[in-house]
Amino acid sequence: MEIIHNFINGQSIPPANDQYLENVEPAIGEIYGKIPRSTEQDIQLAVEAAKAAFPAWASTDIGVRADILSKIADLIDQKRSQLAQAESRDNGKPVKLATLVDIPRASSNFRFFSRAITQWSGSSYFMRGQESLQSFTIHQPLGVVGCISPWNLPLYLFTWKIAPALATGNTVVAKPSEITPYTAYMLGEICNEAGLPPVVLNIVPGLGHEAGQAIVEHPEVKAISFTGGTKTGSIIAGLAAPKFKKLSLELGGKNPNVIFADCDYDKMLKTTVLSSFANQGQICLCGSRILIERSIYNKFKSDFVAKVNSRKVGDPKIDENHLGAVVSAAHQQKILDYIALAEEEGGRILTGGHAIHPKGRCAKGYFVAPTVIEGLDNNCRTNQEEIFGPVVTLQPFDSEEEALALANGTAYGLASTSWTQD
Ligand code: NAD
């Protein structure tokens, strides 16, 4: 059983209350480790440490900060294989996907901000008619920044928050998702190896309403960068707004993929299979409502279903598998419940619609067949609520106006795709 601790002051520190959460490997459905169930006390310790470290880090020469961040990026690249395997073990995603996408993007986050910080500029403006008066902007670090990330792209989104905060001279208290904490723990070790001064980055795993909320509510945390569900974002906004904290929220989606008859059909088909089911549909940008011009609806439906049927689902360690496990038993159940709801709402399942139990090591893992559903109204719950799994719906449209109305007809506005030559 692997036990990880909090990373505070550059050291591995057990949680104050000695409580732990189980860490499950979704592809095999077994517990492989324990992680801290941190509380307010641990957050207090981490924030105090980060606050004490702030003046020195904020006044560290930009070139030195840039060099350290660049070294972190190099080390992530060097450890790409171990990080990808750890991420797949936590998350269920194919190791190949983590190796080719998630981990390289995590190192890119550090490398990008290590360079950007050396090019930062302000701006200044003379007041018209009074050239002796000038307004100007300067960029200054805020202090302690709280970074809270989700489970779907664990290291990539964690570093997307931490890298800019550190580059610009802030110190950080960060909480990875309690479901996928291991690569965050590895990042702590990498930061030590890269020479990041201890205390500048503190990593505190735990539950959202306990450790996460304690970060958001702490008066010394000046800004929150959060990625996750819209409901959670609303709770965080409600807590942070009265304290006038700076807030960055990246939330959920119900993304339309609008396909017009004049599109480059082969390119569209290939990409739509990928953009619907990459990472088991657990990417905030995955298209989940596919809207197709009626004249090509039937052709698209049969070609798409045939391609989806050729997707292999199974052990994420096997490179030939396109889809791995979904992230947890609870999430698998949520997806299956939505599929049952879609049927109740009058949807026809064209393929998928069930759990999968691969043979061998993954027999007890949490797998769901890629699922395509048609016949649903745009206003039904299946088409309005984020499922965040390998489930897409198909809807035909007759005109550009109708396509736009369907595409925009949800409360979400995160991302959209359109396929047309015009
Ligand atoms: P989630 O909202 O349940 O959790 C996200 C993080 O917030 C976790 O670390 C969790 O512990 C923490 N948290 C939960 N309650 C909290 C609270 N009260 N106070 C502070 N922190 C709290 O989301 P999830 O299930 O981990 O991730 C999936 C969601 O993330 C989906 O909705 C997806 O669309 C969204 N997402 C959005 C983007 C984007 O860029 N827009 C990217 C990836 C994922």
Side-chain angles (χ1 to χ4, degrees):
M1 181 77 59
E2 284 192 46
I3 301 182
I4 60 174
H5 290 137
N6 288 325
F7 179 76
I8 299 176
N9 200 2
Q11 289 166 359
S12 177
I13 297 182
N17 62 6
D18 212 31
Q19 297 287 306
Y20 290 83
L21 301 164
E22 288 169 345
N23 198 8
V24 176
E25 181 174 353
I28 59 169
E30 279 177 18
I31 298 162
Y32 80 89
K34 289 190 175 181
I35 67 156
R37 180 175 173 169
S38 301
T39 57
E40 223 177 317
Q41 269 178 287
D42 303 284
I43 300 303
Q44 180 62 26
L45 197 65
V47 174
E48 276 169 16
K51 191 183 171 200
F54 173 66
W57 181 244
S59 55
T60 298
D61 182 78
I62 282 177
V64 174
R65 292 208 301 258
D67 285 349
I68 295 173
L69 262 62
S70 164
K71 178 86 176 127
I72 295 173
D74 291 346
L75 288 170
I76 291 176
D77 284 340
Q78 278 169 30
K79 295 175 199 283
R80 180 159 80 148
S81 167
Q82 296 104 294
L83 285 162
Q85 284 174 44
E87 180 145 314
S88 167
R89 183 174 60 168
D90 264 3
N91 175 280
K93 70 176 60 188
V95 174
K96 192 175 170 187
L97 180 69
T99 310
L100 293 177
V101 179
D102 299 51
I103 308 305
R105 288 194 182 184
S107 72
S108 288
N109 287 339
F110 276 104
R111 194 162 288 115
F112 175 85
F113 285 105
S114 77
R115 291 172 183 159
I117 190 66
T118 64
Q119 308 297 321
W120 233 242
S121 61
S123 52
S124 67
Y125 306 90
F126 290 104
M127 191 178 280
R128 206 184 308 151
Q130 294 191 52
E131 262 65 36
S132 60
L133 294 179
Q134 198 178 352
S135 311
F136 59 92
T137 58
I138 49 170
H139 296 107
Q140 290 180 318
L142 293 164
V144 182
V145 170
C147 298
I148 302 177
S149 60
W151 49 256
N152 64 323
L153 303 160
L155 189 64
Y156 170 33
L157 290 175
F158 199 54
T159 54
W160 176 237
K161 312 183 161 307
I162 291 170
L166 292 180
T168 49
N170 301 284
T171 53
V172 170
V173 175
K175 192 193 90 60
S177 168
E178 59 274 29
I179 305 173
T180 53
Y182 204 86
T183 46
Y185 165 75
M186 291 171 81
L187 179 68
E189 293 184 332
I190 287 172
C191 288
N192 275 349
E193 200 178 330
L196 185 75
V199 212
V200 165
L201 170 65
N202 300 274
I203 301 172
V204 195
L207 295 173
H209 65 282
E210 294 177 352
Q213 200 151 323
I215 295 174
V216 176
E217 288 182 319
H218 199 292
E220 290 297 342
V221 174
K222 303 296 179 194
I224 304 291
S225 174
F226 168 81
T227 301
T230 301
K231 265 193 198 151
T232 317
S234 147
I235 295 172
I236 290 176
L239 293 168
K243 298 191 164 90
F244 305 106
K245 296 192 179 202
K246 293 194 185 298
L247 201 54
S248 155
L249 301 170
E250 295 183 320
L251 308 176
K254 192 72 185 172
N255 309 318
N257 178 2
V258 188
I259 299 168
F260 290 90
D262 70 340
C263 68
D264 178 337
Y265 189 84
D266 293 341
K267 195 171 169 194
M268 173 281 296
L269 190 64
K270 194 170 162 218
T271 308
T272 295
V273 175
L274 273 179
S275 65
S276 302
F277 299 113
N279 202 27
Q280 300 71 250
Q282 303 166 137
I283 300 181
C284 55
L285 305 180
C286 277
S288 59
R289 294 180 299 134
I290 308 181
L291 310 175
I292 309 114
E293 195 161 357
R294 197 178 298 277
S295 59
I296 59 163
Y297 184 83
N298 285 333
K299 175 174 168 48
F300 173 82
K301 179 167 86 172
S302 69
D303 292 346
F304 183 62
V305 168
K307 279 232 181 256
V308 173
N309 285 340
S310 70
R311 300 267 98 183
K312 290 189 183 147
V313 183
D315 192 340
K317 287 189 174 177
I318 298 174
D319 280 353
E320 287 68 41
N321 288 330
H322 303 102
L323 280 79
V326 299
V327 79
S328 66
H331 194 55
Q332 183 193 40
Q333 192 54 52
K334 175 186 156 184
I335 296 166
L336 296 174
D337 287 348
Y338 266 109
I339 293 170
L341 174 72
E343 286 189 289
E344 277 169 35
E345 290 181 321
R348 285 182 298 284
I349 295 181
L350 301 174
T351 186
H354 52 82
I356 286 187
H357 304 282
K359 289 201 179 97
R361 136 187 140 91
C362 294
K364 289 194 210 141
Y366 315 131
F367 296 82
V368 177
T371 299
V372 183
I373 304 170
E374 71 167 357
L376 287 166
D377 187 85
N378 200 49
N379 294 323
C380 71
R381 283 183 55 203
T382 312
N383 271 332
Q384 290 292 319
E385 296 174 15
E386 187 183 41
I387 301 173
F388 214 52
V391 179
V392 292
T393 62
L394 309 186
Q395 292 179 76
F397 66 83
D398 289 303
S399 66
E400 194 174 314
E401 290 69 31
E402 190 190 357
L404 275 175
L406 291 170
N408 289 329
T410 74
Y412 291 104
L414 186 60
S416 62
T417 312
S418 49
W419 288 94
T420 173
Q421 306 280 11
D422 179 355

